Amino acid sequence: LTRERYSVRRLPFSVVSEDDLAALERIVPGGVITDPEELEAPNVDWLRTVRGSSKVLLRPRTSQEVAHILRYCHERNLAVSPQGGNTGMVGGSTPVFDEIIVSTALMNQIVSFHNVSGVLVCQAGCVLEELSRYVEERGFVMPLDLGAKGSCHIGGNVATNAGGLRFLRYGSLRGTVLGLEVVLAEGTILNCLTSLRKDNTGYDLKQLFIGSEGTLGVITAVSILCPPKPSAVNVAFLGCPGFAEVLQTFCTCRGMLGEILSAFEFMDAECVKLVGRHLRLACPVQESPFYVLIETSGSGAGHDAEKLSGFLEQVLGSGLVTDGTLAADQRRAKMLWALRERITEALSRDGYVYKYDLSLPLDRLYDLVSDLRARLGLHAKHVVGYGHLGDGNLHLNVTAEAFSPSLLGTLEPYVYEWVARQRGSVSAEHGLGFKKKDVLGYSKPPEALQLMQQLKALLDPKGILNPYKTLPTRT
Ligand code: FAD
Ligand code: MLT
Ligand code: ZN
C-alpha cells in the first residue's frame, strides 16, 4: 500500500538474518519481538495511512543497549526506525519497508526532579501524561501538552519538536529542553544531558536533534524545565460570528488578559459538528460559524476572574462574541478542552484524512479553508479548519470516504503553493516524516536543503537512521 501510493524504492540495506536475531537477543535479552501479531500495530501509523513490513521490534531499557543496537546495525548495514508512542501525524514513526523498529516503550524511568529549579530528567520513553502527573504532584507542570498525551513519549515529543496546547505560554521545546542524551548512528553515546539554564560553550548540539525526527540519532534521555503549576486556571468557550471576529477577539484577549493568557485555540463549525456526530460531545454554546477556547493561568484566582469577566463583558458587548460559557470547575474545564483536543479523533472516524499543518499570517489563516471548501465541493466529505490560532498555526483537514489519487491531485501541490506564496510553513509542528518529506522545498531554500543533506551524511554516513524520512528523496 505505502510503496505503491508513494512510489518509494527500498534502499540496499541488509535483510535481518537468523544470526542477526541471535546477536540482537544477546544485546537486549528478552526484548526482541518477532511475533507477527505483536508487530501489526507498530507497523501502522496512528492515522492508518501508511504501513511498513518490519519483522523485528526491539525494546531496549538503557542507553547502553541502544548504543549496542546501533553499533551492530551500523556495522551490518541494517536500517532502523525509532519509535515512541506512534502518535505522529506524518508517517515518521513506522517503518517504510523492513527497518528494525527500536521502541522506547521500556525506557520509562524518571532519573531526577529538582523541586526548586523544576528541572526534570527522564528517559525518552516516559509517557507525557505520566510525567505531567508526576510533576503536578510536586507543584509544577510540563511545559507542553497535547491531545496525544496518554500515549506519546517525551522522546517522540522532542524528536518532532511538538508544539501543542501550551506553546503560547511556555514556548517551543527549543527553549524548555535543557539537555539531551542521544545515541548516534554508529553507536556513540552523546551525553549533553545538562540541567543548566545558560550554557554558551560552543555550538548548541542538542538543537540539531530537537525536531530531527529520528534521522540524526536516537534520543535516550531528556532534561526539561518545568514551570510552576498555576494555582488559578480558567477556561472559556466562545462562539464568534466570523473569522474577522475571531481575530479581533484574539487582539482584545491579548490586550486585556496579556500576562495570564495561556491558550487561544480556534475551530470552525464543521469541527464541532464532527465531534458531536462521532464522539457525542455536545456543543456548550449557541451554534456559531467559529468557536474559540481561551485558557488563563495565573496565581490569583480573584484577580484572574475579575480580568476575565471584564474581557467577556467587552467581547460580548461589542458583538465579537455571540455566546460563551465559563468552566466553573475542573471537570467542566476538561469537557470544554475535549471539544478541541478530540477533533483529530473525530476526523479519523469520518473517513480518510488529508492532513495539513500550516503556519500562515494570521489575517490569511482561514482563507485557504474557505477557498478549498469551494474548490472541492462534493469531492470531499468535510473541509475543516482548527488549530493553535495564538501561534499562527492552522490545521487544515479534508476528509473523504476513502483515499483517492484524484482528490490528492486537487489538493497538492495547490495547498503547498498557496502556503509558499504567503511565505508560510508547510509543517508548523508535526514535522515532515515520510508523507511530507518531498515538500520541504516549499518552505526552505535550496541552500538550506543542501546543508541539511550534508549534516545527515556527517552524522549518519550509511543512512541507516529512519531512511525515507524528513529529507527529500534524491533524484
Ligand atoms: P512517534 O510517533 O513514535 O514518532 C514521531 C517521530 O519521532 C518519528 O519520526 C520517530 O522516528 C521519531 N522518534 C520517536 N522517538 C524517538 C527517539 N527517542 N529518538 C529519536 N527519534 C524518535 N503534535 C503537535 O505538535 N501538537 C499537537 O497538538 C499534537 N496533538 C496531537 C493530538 C493527537 C490526538 C494525536 C494522535 C497526535 C498529535 N500530535 C501533535 C502529533 C504527535 O502526537 C506528536 O508528534 C508527538 O510528539 C509524537 O510523539 P510519539 O512519542 O508518539 O512519537
Ligand atoms: C492538534 O492540534 O489537535 C494536533 O496537532 C493534531 C491534529 O492536527 O489533528
Ligand atoms: Zn496541533
Side-chain angles (χ1 to χ4, degrees):
L1 174 108
T2 304
R3 234 164 292 179
E4 284 100 54
R5 189 172 295 170
Y6 294 92
S7 70
V8 52
R9 276 213 311 269
R10 188 184 183 280
L11 292 168
F13 297 109
S14 306
V15 174
V16 181
S17 66
E18 288 299 322
D19 285 351
D20 291 326
L21 289 179
L24 290 167
E25 182 61 42
R26 284 192 292 276
I27 296 171
V28 262
V32 181
I33 314 300
T34 53
D35 173 9
E37 238 171 74
E38 273 191 79
L39 283 161
E40 181 64 25
N43 265 307
V44 181
D45 70 325
W46 190 93
L47 288 166
R48 305 193 155 271
T49 50
V50 289
R51 177 189 293 275
S53 50
S54 178
K55 308 271 188 301
V56 191
L57 178 144
L58 304 176
R59 287 202 192 115
R61 289 177 183 273
T62 64
S63 313
Q64 283 69 26
E65 286 181 355
V66 176
H68 287 156
I69 291 169
L70 289 193
R71 193 170 308 136
Y72 183 83
C73 290
H74 188 256
E75 240 169 62
R76 278 274 300 125
N77 196 32
L78 287 164
V80 161
S81 182
Q83 189 174 89
N86 195 14
T87 66
M89 299 269 101
V90 287
S93 54
T94 43
V96 178
F97 295 97
D98 55 346
E99 298 88 274
I100 295 174
I101 303 170
V102 176
S103 163
T104 49
L106 299 184
M107 300 184 69
N108 55 6
Q109 299 299 305
I110 288 172
V111 178
S112 63
F113 181 70
H114 196 276
N115 60 10
V116 176
S117 66
V119 177
L120 170 76
V121 180
C122 64
Q123 282 191 300
C126 291
V127 171
L128 180 60
E129 194 168 43
E130 283 164 20
L131 292 177
S132 283
R133 204 171 300 130
Y134 179 90
V135 300
E136 283 186 29
E137 280 164 8
R138 288 156 180 81
F140 290 81
V141 290
M142 290 301 285
L144 81 160
D145 184 28
L146 41 147
K149 60 186 137 247
S151 320
C152 65
H153 296 183
I154 191 71
N157 298 148
V158 174
T160 54
N161 188 24
L165 310 165
R166 291 184 183 156
F167 190 101
L168 181 72
R169 165 63 68 90
Y170 301 118
S172 162
L173 287 172
R174 294 196 181 280
T176 50
V177 170
L178 302 179
L180 289 181
E181 180 189 66
V182 181
V183 178
L184 302 179
E186 87 305 346
T188 306
I189 300 180
L190 180 69
N191 186 341
C192 291
L193 202 56
T194 169
S195 293
L196 305 171
R197 283 299 304 275
K198 301 180 83 176
D199 177 17
N200 278 354
T201 50
Y203 306 133
D204 190 358
L205 295 177
K206 71 172 182 287
Q207 297 294 351
L208 258 184
F209 301 97
I210 301 177
S212 68
E213 305 182 81
T215 62
L216 299 179
V218 177
I219 297 165
T220 45
V222 176
S223 161
I224 189 164
L225 184 64
C226 301
K229 185 176 172 181
S231 53
V233 177
N234 291 295
V235 178
F237 194 89
L238 315 173
C240 292
F243 192 70
E245 286 82 1
V246 170
L247 291 182
Q248 277 305 311
T249 304
F250 179 52
C251 289
T252 311
C253 185
R254 274 216 291 206
M256 296 184 74
L257 300 175
E259 78 288 357
I260 56 167
L261 180 64
S262 55
F264 193 104
E265 298 284 322
F266 96 103
M267 68 210 85
D268 63 17
E270 297 280 288
C271 292
V272 171
K273 274 190 203 132
L274 288 175
V275 293
R277 182 176 308 166
H278 296 296
L279 307 171
R280 304 258 156 257
L281 302 182
C283 181
V285 297
Q286 224 175 69
E287 218 177 280
S288 314
F290 291 93
Y291 303 91
V292 300
L293 185 152
I294 295 172
E295 186 192 74
T296 64
S297 304
S299 55
H303 163 269
D304 294 6
E306 197 180 310
K307 279 198 147 180
L308 194 55
S309 74
F311 160 76
L312 290 175
E313 215 170 284
Q314 168 74 24
V315 289
L316 280 161
S318 60
L320 292 178
V321 166
T322 40
D323 189 21
T325 179
L326 260 179
D329 54 43
Q330 245 190 7
R331 200 185 59 89
R332 179 87 175 154
K334 269 199 162 155
M335 272 172 59
L336 296 181
W337 263 118
L339 289 161
R340 164 62 188 89
E341 286 186 49
R342 297 185 66 192
I343 296 170
T344 317
E345 197 182 329
L347 285 163
S348 74
R349 294 191 189 195
D350 200 50
Y352 184 91
V353 188
Y354 300 83
K355 207 169 246 302
Y356 300 95
D357 162 37
L358 315 166
S359 273
L360 286 167
L362 276 180
D363 53 343
R364 303 292 317 268
L365 193 100
Y366 199 72
D367 289 356
L368 182 56
V369 184
S370 314
D371 176 336
L372 275 179
R373 206 170 272 149
R375 200 178 151 83
L376 297 176
L378 294 175
H379 294 292
K381 233 175 136 180
H382 292 101
V383 179
V384 311
Y386 59 99
H388 317 288
L389 186 109
D391 311 317
N393 184 181
L394 168 73
H395 293 313
L396 159 69
N397 285 230
V398 177
T399 62
E401 287 305 341
F403 173 79
S404 132
S406 83
L407 184 50
L408 185 66
T410 315
L411 285 164
E412 299 177 18
Y414 184 80
V415 168
Y416 299 125
E417 286 170 353
W418 201 99
V419 171
R421 275 198 301 279
Q422 308 301 323
R423 303 185 64 81
S425 171
V426 293
S427 177
E429 59 172 6
H430 294 163
L432 298 166
F434 174 68
K435 293 203 285 184
K436 311 272 167 163
K437 66 181 193 310
D438 291 315
V439 298
L440 169 56
Y442 286 99
S443 296
K444 292 280 153 63
E447 296 76 15
L449 260 72
Q450 200 191 349
L451 188 54
M452 289 186 203
Q453 302 273 16
Q454 287 168 340
L455 283 167
K456 170 73 177 171
L458 175 74
L459 284 164
D460 181 16
K462 291 188 175 176
I464 61 162
L465 284 176
N466 234 0
Y468 328 104
K469 314 277 174 68
T470 310
L471 296 178
T473 319
R474 291 224 226 194
T475 44

